């Protein structure tokens, strides 16, 4: 569901392309390309839509007995954003995203 809704961003926001992503057990990394600096929806509206869609889907799955209920919020209030400044920066971010699952064992929230 997290991946599907992430890829749905491209249909909802035609100026957005999901370039690279990794869904982790307790967080998500992704790179978005957005055409035009001031065209289309601003980033905070894109993220708000995504969080709303995934939360609503999760609630539906809880009601069906498929997923466990959650306490208060599914998503943290804020998010980290970084403007990519060139090919080397993009390469390093993609590498970080790709290698991150290997570090899950060391995460303070790791569970088998």
């Amino acid at each position: 569901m997290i991946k599907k809704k992430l890829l749905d961003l491209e249909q909802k926001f035609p100026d957005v392309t999901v370039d690279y992503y990794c869904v982790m057990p307790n967080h998500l990394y992704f790179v978005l390309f957005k055409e035009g600096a001031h065209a289309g929806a601003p980033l905070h509206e894109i993220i708000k839509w995504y969080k709303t869609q995934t939360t609503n889907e999760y609630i539906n799955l809880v009601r069906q007995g498929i997923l466990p209920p959650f306490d208060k919020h599914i998503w943290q209030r804020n998010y980290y954003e970084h403007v990519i400044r060139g090919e080397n920066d993009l390469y390093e971010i993609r590498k970080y995203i790709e290698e991150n699952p290997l570090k899950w064992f060391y995460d303070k929230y790791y569970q088998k």
Side-chain angles (χ1 to χ4, degrees):
M1 177 251 305
I2 296 295
K3 177 182 171 181
K4 181 189 178 316
K5 294 294 182 187
L6 181 64
L7 298 177
D8 285 350
L9 287 174
E10 294 179 349
Q11 281 71 52
K12 174 67 178 172
F13 303 97
D15 60 325
V16 167
T17 303
V18 178
D19 172 68
Y20 215 77
Y21 64 90
C22 177
V23 178
M24 297 291 290
N26 67 343
H27 59 282
L28 167 69
Y29 295 103
F30 59 93
V31 174
L32 290 181
F33 289 135
K34 192 169 176 320
E35 282 186 44
H38 303 288
L43 182 61
H44 71 273
E45 289 295 327
I46 295 168
I47 300 301
K48 179 181 173 182
W49 182 87
Y50 178 75
K51 287 181 175 183
T52 299
Q53 293 299 307
T54 53
T55 299
N56 289 342
E57 181 69 21
Y58 193 100
I59 290 168
N60 287 335
L61 294 171
V62 168
R63 288 181 180 148
Q64 295 174 42
I66 297 170
L67 290 175
F70 59 92
D71 185 35
K72 297 181 185 175
H73 304 285
I74 292 176
W75 295 103
Q76 68 184 30
R77 183 175 183 177
N78 295 317
Y79 57 92
Y80 174 77
E81 65 180 271
H82 171 79
V83 176
I84 297 171
R85 308 239 184 244
E87 288 296 320
N88 191 51
D89 196 14
L90 179 58
Y91 170 79
E92 291 298 324
I93 291 167
R94 286 175 176 161
K95 181 179 171 188
Y96 179 84
I97 291 171
E98 186 174 316
E99 293 175 353
N100 198 261
L102 302 174
K103 301 172 190 169
W104 173 238
F105 178 76
Y106 302 105
D107 190 287
K108 69 181 182 179
Y109 298 109
Y110 171 77
Q111 296 176 1
K112 284 188 176 188

